[in-house]
């Protein structure tokens, strides 16, 4: 629940940021837009940090309580110790593999259980008829992570320009 609520805060913060940026580009409602942008960025910065901790906590809960879901999120078809964390890739469900991916060895085991040699239960422990559409689950989960990273990067850049007192002279950033 916390993860979803914080996600709603992020959506609201970026809605405010987007509208403020639009008005700043159009040079309309400037005082209100500057104030709105600052409020939106402040909320986004706080919510992004909270979302990181909430997401980590949620993922650890999923690892313990819903291991099949974790396996689908990360494309783990075979139960293994020292499971890698996939940053991206293309799921080949018939061959039970993730192709063209970038993996960090043992990172999933460490993130889920705090131990690089911890066992991650794979989809092989469940009947295939109970498997989700791993292609869709894998890609949408990784899209969620990628969107958080993009929001984080844009927010950090904007906060940097705000700190340097040049935020309102960066139309290229408003377009982003």
């Amino acid at each position: 629940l916390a993860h979803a609520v914080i996600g709603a805060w992020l959506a609201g913060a970026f809605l405010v940021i987007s509208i403020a940026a639009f008005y700043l580009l159009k040079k309309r409602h400037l005082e209100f837009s500057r104030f709105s942008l600052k409020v939106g960025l402040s909320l986004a910065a706080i919510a992004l940090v909270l979302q990181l901790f909430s997401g980590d906590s949620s993922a650890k809960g999923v690892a313990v309580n819903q291991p099949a879901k974790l396996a689908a999120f990360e494309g783990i078809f075979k139960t293994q110790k020292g499971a890698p964390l996939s940053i991206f890739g293309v799921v080949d469900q018939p061959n039970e593999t993730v192709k063209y991916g970038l993996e960090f060895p043992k990172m999933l085991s460490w993130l889920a259980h705090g131990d690089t040699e911890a066992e991650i239960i794979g989809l092989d422990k469940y009947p295939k008829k109970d498997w989700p559409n791993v292609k869709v689950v894998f890609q949408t989960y990784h899209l969620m992570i990628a969107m958080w990273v993009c929001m984080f990067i844009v927010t950090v850049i904007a906060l940097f320009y705000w700190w340097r007192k040049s935020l309102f002279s960066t139309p290229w950033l408003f377009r982003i």
Side-chain angles (χ1 to χ4, degrees), residues 18 26 29 32-33 39 44 49 53 57 60 71 78 81 84 91 103 107 129-131 153 155-156 158 161 174:
S18 298
K26 297 296 181 185
H29 313 291
F32 179 75
S33 298
V39 169
V49 172
F53 289 107
S57 175
K60 286 179 179 173
K78 305 269 186 263
K81 291 184 177 189
V91 173
E103 295 181 341
M107 186 63 82
K129 68 179 181 62
D130 293 338
W131 288 13
I153 290 168
T155 301
V156 167
Y161 279 97
F174 300 154

Side-chain angles (χ1 to χ4, degrees), residues 6 9-14 17 37-53 148 151-160 162:
I6 296 167
W9 291 350
L10 275 172
F14 274 88
I17 290 167
L37 185 63
K38 289 178 181 179
V39 169
L41 281 173
S42 299
L43 179 58
I46 293 165
L48 283 163
V49 172
L50 292 174
Q51 192 73 307
L52 179 66
F53 289 107
W148 181 90
M151 288 185 286
F152 181 80
I153 290 168
V154 168
T155 301
V156 167
I157 292 168
L159 290 172
F160 174 75
W162 184 7

Side-chain angles (χ1 to χ4, degrees), residues 85-100:
L85 177 74
S86 294
I87 300 302
F88 59 84
V90 177
V91 173
D92 180 359
Q93 194 161 335
N95 293 316
E96 299 181 3
T97 187
V98 176
K99 295 182 176 180
Y100 317 113

Side-chain angles (χ1 to χ4, degrees), residues 15-26:
L15 177 65
V16 170
I17 290 167
S18 298
I19 292 169
F22 173 79
Y23 281 129
L24 288 167
L25 284 170
K26 297 296 181 185

Side-chain angles (χ1 to χ4, degrees), residues 23-169:
Y23 281 129
L24 288 167
L25 284 170
K26 297 296 181 185
K27 298 185 183 344
R28 294 171 43 199
H29 313 291
L30 294 177
E31 185 178 333
F32 179 75
S33 298
R34 286 184 183 113
F35 177 77
S36 297
L37 185 63
K38 289 178 181 179
V39 169
L41 281 173
S42 299
L43 179 58
I46 293 165
L48 283 163
V49 172
L50 292 174
Q51 192 73 307
L52 179 66
F53 289 107
S54 170
D56 178 62
S57 175
S58 294
K60 286 179 179 173
V62 166
V64 171
N65 300 309
Q66 298 174 301
K69 183 188 280 188
L70 179 67
F73 282 167
E74 289 296 337
I76 303 295
F77 289 95
K78 305 269 186 263
T79 298
Q80 57 188 288
K81 291 184 177 189
L85 177 74
S86 294
I87 300 302
F88 59 84
V90 177
V91 173
D92 180 359
Q93 194 161 335
N95 293 316
E96 299 181 3
T97 187
V98 176
K99 295 182 176 180
Y100 317 113
L102 173 61
E103 295 181 341
F104 288 100
K106 302 184 181 196
M107 186 63 82
L108 182 59
S109 291
W110 181 74
L111 287 173
H113 300 291
D115 177 5
T116 58
E117 294 303 319
E119 183 175 75
I120 298 295
I121 297 171
L123 291 167
D124 61 339
K125 297 291 186 186
Y126 303 94
K128 283 194 178 187
K129 68 179 181 62
D130 293 338
W131 288 13
N133 184 337
V134 181
K135 288 180 189 179
V136 172
V137 172
F138 180 92
Q139 295 302 340
T140 54
Y141 175 74
H142 285 83
L143 177 62
M144 177 186 70
I145 303 296
M147 293 197 56
W148 181 90
V149 169
C150 290
M151 288 185 286
F152 181 80
I153 290 168
V154 168
T155 301
V156 167
I157 292 168
L159 290 172
F160 174 75
Y161 279 97
W162 184 7
W163 175 71
R164 291 191 60 198
K165 300 187 184 340
S166 59
L167 175 62
F168 300 109
S169 60

